[in-house]
Amino acid sequence: MPGTHRTHLRALFTVPLAIGLLGGAALPAGAAAFAGSRAAESLTCRGAGVDPAARVRHRAEILVHAPLRTVWKLQTDIERWPSWQAPVTSAERLDHGPLRRGSAFRWTTPVPPNPTPATRLDITSTVGQLRHHSCIRWTGPATGEGLHIDGVHVWNFTEVPGGVRVSTEETHTGPQVDADVPTATAILRQGLDAWLSDLKTTAEARTPHQPN
């Protein structure tokens, strides 16, 4: 039945497929969203961007009142993600040394009860482009039993007065997300907003307050 099918899809997409459990619908303080991400020029890293053909996409940014080196270390120290992002239950590098082009990492996030047999998502990401203290682009599949998503994720870090502007854009493709684009896009938006909010909170907590 069409109604039942749509209900099942919506139940499935209550799982934040990019980062883990969803935050609230409101943007975190200091964040800005780019609806549909087509009105603004897509983010790139060394000339490469998100999937131009993807129907599920979102772009957002936030101002972090912290030094660039602090923000960059948090974002690139993959194995410590679970310490500041509750939805990331495990994260491991598949290579050694500083994050660089060709680096790969595997990370997991739980999947609440849903119409598929999946209980968690296993995500394997590979860095395709990186410029130190400036940008990162990674790609890779997120898989669970009966569930598959291909993602492309771009991050830009720009020093501005008072801190760092962190901009991010991501696209998803796959049978489940393509079956309900509005719902999948909303889930992606909330996942990215939660990631930005956690990054801001953690980076600012590690930054000594400057006297007025």
Side-chain angles (χ1 to χ4, degrees), residues 55-91:
R55 299 165 61 208
V56 177
R57 61 177 57 224
H58 184 66
R59 175 177 168 183
E61 65 180 37
I62 199 167
L63 175 61
V64 181
H65 298 288
L68 177 57
R69 64 181 180 275
T70 300
V71 177
W72 180 261
K73 182 170 176 56
L74 279 170
Q75 186 72 350
T76 59
D77 192 357
I78 307 298
E79 292 182 318
R80 292 186 181 273
W81 280 1
S83 70
W84 58 274
Q85 297 188 73
V88 179
T89 53
S90 70

Side-chain angles (χ1 to χ4, degrees), residues 76 78 92-107 124-130 136-140:
T76 59
I78 307 298
E92 63 172 324
R93 283 283 300 277
L94 302 181
D95 62 329
H96 302 284
L99 197 69
R100 60 195 181 275
R101 182 177 180 181
S103 290
F105 50 98
R106 183 181 298 118
W107 46 300
T124 302
S125 301
T126 302
V127 177
Q129 288 76 26
L130 181 146
I136 313 170
R137 177 183 179 270
W138 65 63
T139 64

Side-chain angles (χ1 to χ4, degrees), residues 12-13 23 28 32 34 50 55 66 73 92 101 108 115 129 141 156 197 199:
L12 174 61
F13 288 125
F34 299 83
V50 293
R55 299 165 61 208
K73 182 170 176 56
E92 63 172 324
R101 182 177 180 181
T108 61
Q129 288 76 26
N156 285 183
S197 181
L199 181 61

Side-chain angles (χ1 to χ4, degrees), residues 125-211:
S125 301
T126 302
V127 177
Q129 288 76 26
L130 181 146
R131 180 177 286 115
H132 187 66
H133 282 181
S134 178
C135 66
I136 313 170
R137 177 183 179 270
W138 65 63
T139 64
T143 61
E145 191 174 355
L147 179 60
H148 182 95
I149 299 164
D150 288 306
V152 182
H153 203 164
V154 179
W155 293 85
N156 285 183
F157 305 86
T158 307
E159 283 190 292
V160 296
V164 180
R165 183 175 67 247
V166 181
S167 305
T168 186
E169 185 172 9
E170 185 169 7
T171 54
H172 285 174
T173 58
Q176 289 78 25
V177 294
D178 288 340
D180 190 345
V181 170
T183 300
T185 300
I187 296 304
L188 175 58
R189 173 181 61 80
Q190 292 175 358
L192 292 183
D193 290 347
W195 192 327
L196 288 173
S197 181
D198 287 344
L199 181 61
K200 176 182 174 69
T201 297
T202 307
E204 292 180 353
R206 297 185 182 186
T207 302
H209 293 291
Q210 299 296 322

